[in-house]
Amino acid sequence: MGTIGLALLGISGSVLAAPVALPAAVVTAAGYIAVTGGVMSAVSQVTVEDFAKKEADEEGQLQGGEPDG
């Protein structure tokens, strides 16, 4: 999901920075796609970090350590 978000950001950035005049609808859509790509990347990163923390907590419990949180 993070890769897709970054791809959307790249594509929309290219459209927004195009040196030719594009219809307003295309530029507006590229702006929305850029926001969508940013949100997808952020959500993906938060999910990965949360999953890694959960795994680390479970490993600590298996080894007799105190869980974090």
Side-chain angles (χ1 to χ4, degrees):
M1 191 159 112
T3 306
I4 295 171
L6 291 175
L8 289 174
L9 278 170
I11 292 168
S12 63
S14 297
V15 170
L16 290 171
V20 296
L22 296 171
V26 173
V27 174
T28 302
Y32 288 131
I33 291 171
V35 171
T36 303
V39 170
M40 285 179 68
S41 297
V43 168
S44 175
Q45 186 65 35
V46 169
T47 305
V48 168
E49 288 174 0
D50 187 45
F51 182 72
K53 184 178 182 327
K54 183 178 176 183
E55 280 187 344
D57 288 346
E58 290 174 356
E59 286 179 12
Q61 288 176 352
L62 292 176
Q63 297 174 359
E66 292 292 322
D68 294 337

